[in-house]
Amino acid sequence: MKTNDTLEDLMNEHDMEDIIREIRQYVHSLWTLGPLHGISHWDRVYEHGKQLATPEVNSLVVALFAYLHDSCRLADGMDMGHGPRAAEWIDTLRNTYLKDVPAEDLELLKEACRLHTTTPCTGNPTIDACFDADRLDLWRAGIIPDPDRMATKKGREIASTTDYEPLLDSCL
């Protein structure tokens, strides 16, 4: 069984939506930092992830990444350890919120969280979609996403065709 088949083979869309909704609510209930890396960012990363979906991309992993990648931040500013902390935290959720997620999907999720601030591209379509889903939301910090720094073809296309000026104006 291929990695991207696990979602279709083991879960239906309703199960996936339940897992995502529950993890979103749980992580949001624990969030104490500001909005820069909070729920509105996570929701946009989730939407970007849906745009980046291809047959090779594990949509469940990308959706969970949206809500977990910044969940272990200690600061809303520079915090290079937040990705590895999130990857470790995922292990503590294996028997509760993530109990229905296949182990190989959890390993992909952990790798995406661990590497998302330090690695430009992995060559893994799912992990790279996670990276781009996050990068496409850089405008919220006043940074226009650079198409040349996207890890996927779709990410480059979206970054190339999006008018970020109105978005930048809204965050000033």
Side-chain angles (χ1 to χ4, degrees):
M1 183 180 309
K2 297 182 303 190
T3 300
N4 61 346
D5 288 340
T6 58
L7 181 59
E8 293 79 13
D9 290 344
L10 299 175
M11 290 182 185
N12 64 41
E13 189 173 329
H14 179 71
D15 293 336
M16 182 176 148
E17 289 172 7
D18 286 346
I19 292 167
I20 295 163
R21 183 177 54 255
E22 287 176 12
I23 203 73
R24 180 188 185 274
Q25 290 171 346
Y26 179 63
V27 175
H28 185 240
S29 74
L30 300 174
W31 188 250
T32 60
L33 299 177
L36 186 62
H37 294 98
I39 193 72
S40 58
H41 166 58
W42 304 336
D43 286 341
R44 287 189 301 271
V45 172
Y46 176 71
E47 292 302 320
H48 292 310
K50 291 194 295 190
Q51 290 179 301
L52 293 164
T54 65
E56 298 81 26
V57 170
N58 183 317
S59 299
L60 177 61
V61 170
V62 178
L64 290 171
F65 172 85
Y67 295 105
L68 293 168
H69 75 285
D70 282 340
S71 61
C72 290
R73 282 185 157 277
L74 300 177
D76 224 4
M78 184 62 75
D79 180 359
M80 292 303 288
H82 75 277
R85 282 193 301 275
E88 288 179 22
W89 188 51
I90 288 166
D91 281 331
T92 71
L93 303 174
R94 278 184 190 262
N95 296 321
T96 56
Y97 293 96
L98 302 175
K99 69 183 180 306
D100 295 324
V101 179
E104 62 190 46
D105 294 355
L106 289 176
E107 291 307 312
L108 274 176
L109 175 61
K110 288 170 51 179
E111 191 72 0
C113 288
R114 188 176 9 266
L115 299 176
H116 83 276
T117 60
T118 60
T119 305
C121 179
T122 66
N124 179 293
T126 298
I127 295 173
D128 289 346
C130 291
F131 292 173
D132 284 359
D134 188 31
R135 291 174 186 151
L136 287 167
D137 201 46
L138 284 171
W139 62 265
R140 78 192 190 289
I143 301 167
I144 295 176
D146 183 347
D148 294 332
R149 293 192 173 191
M150 294 293 141
T152 67
K153 180 180 178 186
K154 275 192 159 187
R156 286 187 289 279
E157 290 170 4
I158 294 167
S160 295
T161 59
T162 301
D163 180 9
Y164 289 101
E165 292 306 320
L167 297 172
L168 288 171
D169 290 342
S170 71
C171 68
L172 296 179

